[in-house]
Amino acid sequence: PILYTRALGLADDDASLLFEDSRGDLWIGAFSPAKTGVTRWERNSGRFFHYSDSDGLEAFNAPSAFAEDHNGGIWVGFREGGLACYRHGRFQRFGAEAGMPVGSIKALLVDQSGRLWCSVDNVGLLRFDDTSGEMLRPDVYSVRQGLTSNILSVIGEDQQGRIYVGAVHGLERIDPRTGRVDHYGAAAGILGGYILDIQRDRAGRLWICTQNRICRFTPETEQPA
């Protein structure tokens, strides 16, 4: 194996976040905030590219989540709040002045319809239907819309396009078509504390990783109306 360190091009040896985009490039985030917050490893050349405030990002704000939209834009959420999108070779940053609520970004997801979902600490779950402009106008799902908590973690999606997000006491499911919110906790077998990851397998089952166990959840198939 090759051990990549600062000596070989990393911005920081304390790498904690990896994301592979559709081009095969790797996006890398470090746990400790630094002036250079985001690194990209270009597969074709094997080179590392570092991005900082000189590229439009906020210095000393570590990335906490990555996602890729259907147009190839790379979205980055940050631990101290805010979003940025890398497209056409440059970053566009979205902070409070661009309509982004204040709070730590916990997870990002681009769904089957191309909508961007974002969980924001103490705010709830945000849905962006249009991310092409200078402003973001999110639809917010919080305790007011039926969630059990505004402290959320990872985001997943089932084959029917329903969205799942980890909450304090289990799993929340949102149907974007109807706005219906369902909660799955201990009674549904979602055990083990804080939800760390949600992955969908080829059969459509969701695998939910918690602090001390892995749960398998099989979403029901909706019957046609």
Side-chain angles (χ1 to χ4, degrees):
I2 300 174
L3 178 63
Y4 289 99
T5 63
R6 283 184 178 180
L8 290 182
L10 280 182
D12 195 302
D13 290 341
D14 190 13
S16 61
L17 190 63
L18 289 174
F19 176 79
E20 184 180 12
D21 66 22
S22 60
R23 295 172 289 275
D25 293 355
L26 288 180
W27 295 81
I28 306 161
F31 179 79
S32 55
K35 186 177 178 65
T36 300
V38 177
T39 299
R40 177 172 64 93
W41 176 72
E42 187 177 65
R43 185 173 296 274
N44 286 340
S45 66
R47 294 175 58 197
F48 286 95
F49 295 86
H50 306 299
Y51 304 101
S52 65
D53 53 339
S54 62
D55 301 290
L57 299 178
E58 183 180 9
F60 304 103
N61 193 358
S64 54
F66 290 106
E68 182 175 2
D69 64 31
H70 290 186
N71 296 315
I74 304 299
W75 288 86
V76 189
F78 294 90
R79 195 184 309 161
E80 300 302 321
L83 286 173
C85 184
Y86 182 81
R87 48 192 165 198
H88 310 305
R90 59 181 291 270
F91 276 100
Q92 180 181 5
R93 186 173 175 274
F94 300 90
E97 73 287 348
M100 187 64 196
V102 176
S104 177
I105 307 302
K106 296 300 184 182
L108 296 173
L109 173 81
V110 175
D111 69 15
Q112 299 168 25
S113 299
R115 296 170 293 207
L116 176 66
W117 296 81
C118 175
S119 59
V120 183
D121 207 17
N122 292 314
V123 174
L125 185 65
L126 310 183
R127 189 191 79 206
F128 302 99
D129 294 345
D130 182 8
T131 55
S132 61
E134 297 294 323
M135 296 290 294
L136 294 177
R137 296 175 174 83
D139 289 305
V140 181
Y141 297 86
S142 67
V143 292
R144 292 185 177 183
Q145 286 72 38
L147 297 183
T148 61
S149 174
N150 290 338
I151 301 175
L152 306 172
S153 58
V154 294
I155 312 169
E157 181 184 17
D158 68 20
Q159 291 179 322
Q160 287 76 43
R162 294 168 295 196
I163 300 299
Y164 297 76
V165 60
V168 175
H169 299 296
L171 192 67
E172 311 280 3
R173 183 174 74 183
I174 297 122
D175 189 331
R177 294 169 296 178
T178 64
R180 175 173 172 171
V181 176
D182 294 300
H183 176 74
Y184 300 91
I190 307 298
L191 304 170
Y194 192 77
I195 296 177
L196 303 172
D197 198 10
I198 302 172
Q199 295 291 332
R200 188 180 76 223
D201 66 20
R202 295 177 181 176
R205 297 168 298 196
L206 299 180
W207 293 82
I208 301 159
C209 177
T210 69
Q211 287 174 308
N212 53 36
R213 67 183 64 196
I214 294 177
C215 307
R216 188 182 71 190
F217 180 80
T218 303
E220 72 276 17
T221 302
E222 293 184 337
Q223 298 297 322

